[in-house]
């Protein structure tokens, strides 16, 4: 008998923290590292990914009865590629500067493992309502993770947040944080912190259970 | 500039200076996932280099004849359909869909071909071949090539596109093999518990990226040396 599928609300909540795509599942790392040198590009990226994820999940969930097992991944990828083209043209038309700055990372949403895995795990098995809730939850989790990394990198790297100065002008600005190595270091340390917090929680729970 | 010098510059640029993994962050998933042992990491690198070259070859052909602004095939169809011959037909909006389709099918074809004709090679690639479809490095190489094809004045030829692809693949192999070597040693170290696994791997990658930043400016030196040599 198949395991009972989670409901829409569970899917939504799961995406934000318990199954956070970046800190828990380590999915979709390329954009996470590449566009988080400032809050603005990070948020644009999060919005584009959310749009693609929600649309792709909806479509895949609607056609899930027609999917053949061996062509499944190809159908997912082509659906995603269509919506990425729309998002890319939209960004190029309305926020041209940002689209230039994001460069190849907008089309690279196509191969973001996060979206394919959500299509595979949730949308190809459950109804539209659940799939959309799942997509919203996952996008929110993705946006939160991007925001956390971008906040650290932008504040330490250029002393600003969303373009507004937050640190005193005397702050020298750690150039390395805006450059590629800073991305790896920040994400590695934040992963460590997230892991440490969850280990502490688990240890606390175990202790509670022991004293009871 | 001389063709050979251009090719060498493109190669050095893709393999070392702007390393795909450590500068552009593409192909991070296999970089973290398949870098536990040197031999599997090297196998993955070779598989990626192989597929990236084939995908670049096919996608360059598509881009040159169909997708770029002013490509011959759509212009011919447009004229045959009775359109105004002065109009420039630009199908580049379709490029993402075509690229990913070509990559997915070429991975499938390569897998079938290798399984039929080179069984030992197929066994050593194992599960990595199908996984390559979702490797961003392949699509990224195709997009970089596409960027060079948008402007008709500096249109890239097939040799330039292939050099970029092979250089990128070799850069990926270098990065993932180095990483695997470091991680094999890291198994013997006392890493703080929360950082075990992906955390410490990312920090090591950050230090490697710093080291690779040292290659910045090498292209200028290579350029000068080459132009002195070829003069």
């Amino acid at each position: 008998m198949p395991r009972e599928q989670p409901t829409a609300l569970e899917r939504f909540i799961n995406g934000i923290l318990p199954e956070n795509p970046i800190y828990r599942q380590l999915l979709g790392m390329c954009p996470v590292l590449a566009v988080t040198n400032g809050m603005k590009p990070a948020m644009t990226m999060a919005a584009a990914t959310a749009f693609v994820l929600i649309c792709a999940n909806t479509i895949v969930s609607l056609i899930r009865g027609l999917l053949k097992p061996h062509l499944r991944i190809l159908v997912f990828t082509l659906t995603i590629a269509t919506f990425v083209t729309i998002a890319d043209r939209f960004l190029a038309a309305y926020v041209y500067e940002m689209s230039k700055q994001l460069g190849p990372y907008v089309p690279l949403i196509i191969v973001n493992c996060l979206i394919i895995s959500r299509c595979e795990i949730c949308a190809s098995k459950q109804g539209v309502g659940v799939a959309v809730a799942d997509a919203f939850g996952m996008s929110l989790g993705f946006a939160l993770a991007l925001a956390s990394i971008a906040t650290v990198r932008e504040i330490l790297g250029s002393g600003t947040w969303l373009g507004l100065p937050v640190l005193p002008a005397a702050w020298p600005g750690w150039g390395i944080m805006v450059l590629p190595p800073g991305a790896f270091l920040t994400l590695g340390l934040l992963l460590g912190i997230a892991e440490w917090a969850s280990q502490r929680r688990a240890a606390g729970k175990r202790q509670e259970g022991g004293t009871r | 500039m001389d063709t050979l010098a251009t090719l060498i510059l493109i190669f050095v640029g893709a393999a070392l200076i702007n390393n795909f993994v450590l500068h552009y962050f593409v192909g991070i998933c296999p970089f973290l996932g398949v870098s536990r042992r040197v031999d599997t990491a090297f196998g993955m690198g070779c598989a990626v280099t192989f597929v990236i070259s084939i995908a670049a070859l096919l996608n360059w052909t598509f881009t040159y004849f169909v997708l770029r602004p002013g490509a011959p095939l759509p212009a011919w169809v447009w004229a045959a359909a009775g359109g105004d011959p002065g109009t420039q037909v630009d199908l580049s909006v379709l490029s993402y869909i075509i690229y990913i389709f070509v990559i997915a099918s070429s991975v499938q074809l390569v897998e079938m071909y290798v399984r039929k004709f080179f069984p030992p090679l197929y066994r050593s690639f194992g599960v990595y071949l199908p996984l390559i479809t979702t490797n961003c490095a392949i699509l990224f190489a195709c997009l970089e090539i596409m960027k060079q094809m948008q402007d008709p004045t500096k249109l890239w030829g097939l040799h330039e596109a292939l050099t970029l692809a092979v250089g990128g693949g070799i850069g990926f192999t270098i990065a993932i093999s180095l990483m695997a070597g470091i991680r094999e040693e890291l198994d013997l170290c006392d890493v703080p518990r929360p950082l075990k696994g992906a955390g410490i791997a990312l920090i090591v990658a950050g230090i490697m990226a710093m080291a690779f930043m040292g290659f910045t400016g090498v292209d200028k030196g290579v350029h000068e040396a080459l132009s002195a040599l070829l003069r």
Side-chain angles (χ1 to χ4, degrees):
Chain A
M1 210 182 101
R3 210 162 48 86
E4 205 173 303
Q5 297 282 2
T7 60
L9 188 66
E10 280 166 14
R11 285 284 196 200
F12 179 74
I13 294 171
N14 261 349
I16 301 177
L17 284 180
E19 285 180 22
N20 187 291
I22 291 164
Y23 288 119
R24 291 259 148 243
Q25 308 185 47
L26 298 177
L27 287 177
M29 303 295 260
C30 316
V32 175
L33 293 164
V35 302
T36 49
N37 50 7
M39 262 316 256
K40 273 184 194 162
M43 288 299 96
T44 319
M45 189 67 191
T49 312
F51 166 76
V52 176
L53 180 54
I54 291 165
C55 295
N57 250 11
T58 313
I59 297 282
V60 168
S61 171
L62 286 174
I63 60 169
R64 69 185 188 280
L66 305 170
L67 289 175
K68 303 272 177 293
H70 56 287
L71 284 178
R72 184 177 88 237
I73 302 285
L74 191 62
V75 173
F76 295 166
T77 341
L78 289 181
T79 317
I80 297 167
T82 314
F83 287 113
V84 167
T85 309
I86 297 173
D88 183 51
R89 295 290 93 196
F90 182 85
L91 287 180
Y94 290 99
V95 273
Y96 182 67
E97 284 303 312
M98 188 50 74
S99 151
K100 255 195 124 68
Q101 195 189 335
L102 288 176
Y105 297 105
V106 177
L108 281 179
I109 297 177
I110 301 174
V111 283
N112 193 327
C113 335
L114 164 65
I115 302 180
I116 299 180
S117 82
R118 284 342 282 173
C119 289
E120 168 79 20
I121 295 171
C122 175
S124 62
K125 299 200 174 73
Q126 290 184 288
V128 182
V130 183
V132 171
D134 178 69
F136 267 103
M138 280 292 159
S139 321
L140 210 59
F142 187 70
L144 280 178
L146 275 183
S148 62
I149 301 162
T151 306
V152 174
R153 286 185 70 192
E154 195 182 343
I155 290 181
L156 291 182
S158 29
T160 57
W161 192 72
L162 264 173
L164 308 166
V166 281
L167 291 179
W171 179 256
W174 297 357
I176 199 81
M177 295 308 275
V178 191
L179 292 170
F184 285 114
L185 295 178
T186 313
L187 184 56
L189 291 175
L190 284 179
L191 266 180
I193 294 174
E195 193 57 40
W196 176 74
S198 75
Q199 278 176 6
R200 287 246 329 206
R201 250 200 11 222
K205 262 192 198 145
R206 229 175 310 150
Q207 246 169 16
E208 260 173 42
T211 50
R212 208 178 286 151
Chain B
M1 205 171 70
D2 216 38
T3 319
L4 183 65
T6 323
L7 291 185
I8 293 177
L9 277 185
I10 293 175
F11 182 85
V12 174
L16 294 175
I17 303 165
N18 296 329
N19 187 285
F20 274 23
V21 178
L22 299 169
H23 187 263
Y24 286 120
F25 313 106
V26 291
I28 295 284
C29 307
F31 182 68
L32 294 178
V34 200
S35 61
R36 298 209 171 270
R37 288 168 46 93
V38 174
D39 48 351
T40 49
F42 186 72
M44 182 71 186
C46 293
V48 166
T49 312
F50 189 49
V51 174
I52 216 171
S53 325
I54 289 173
L57 172 73
L58 289 173
N59 277 335
W60 180 87
T61 317
F62 266 103
T63 316
Y64 189 84
F65 290 106
V66 185
L67 293 173
R68 73 186 165 100
L73 196 68
W76 181 79
V77 173
W78 178 251
D84 174 21
T87 334
Q88 198 190 39
V89 188
D90 183 2
L91 288 183
S92 44
V93 72
L94 288 178
S95 40
Y96 302 157
I97 296 179
I98 303 266
Y99 285 171
I100 197 69
F101 189 77
V102 166
I103 292 172
S105 6
S106 62
V107 169
Q108 198 82 55
L109 279 180
V110 166
E111 196 192 343
M112 276 151 55
Y113 181 77
V114 172
R115 184 163 54 190
K116 180 98 173 76
F117 293 103
F118 307 100
L121 190 67
Y122 179 76
R123 273 196 298 279
S124 62
F125 277 171
V127 293
Y128 304 129
L129 261 183
L131 277 181
I132 291 174
T133 314
T134 51
N135 186 336
C136 348
I138 318 271
L139 183 63
F140 179 78
C142 296
L143 290 168
E144 283 293 291
I145 294 167
M146 180 189 99
K147 208 164 77 186
Q148 303 291 337
M149 312 276 287
Q150 292 296 323
D151 186 357
T153 51
K154 345 175 249 210
L155 195 63
W156 267 19
L158 184 56
H159 51 297
E160 284 155 322
L162 274 181
T163 313
L164 177 89
V166 174
I170 289 178
F172 178 81
T173 314
I174 294 175
I176 196 171
S177 305
L178 284 177
M179 185 70 186
I182 297 175
R183 281 182 89 174
E184 276 186 359
E185 295 295 314
L186 212 58
D187 283 344
L188 308 171
C189 298
D190 186 20
V191 179
R193 208 151 56 96
L195 283 178
K196 275 219 165 86
I200 196 74
L202 280 166
I203 292 172
V204 169
I207 297 168
M208 274 170 69
M210 275 186 223
F212 268 71
M213 274 171 70
F215 283 117
T216 316
V218 166
D219 50 346
K220 213 177 265 170
V222 171
H223 183 195
E224 276 164 17
L226 278 176
S227 42
L229 202 71
L230 294 170
R231 195 177 296 127

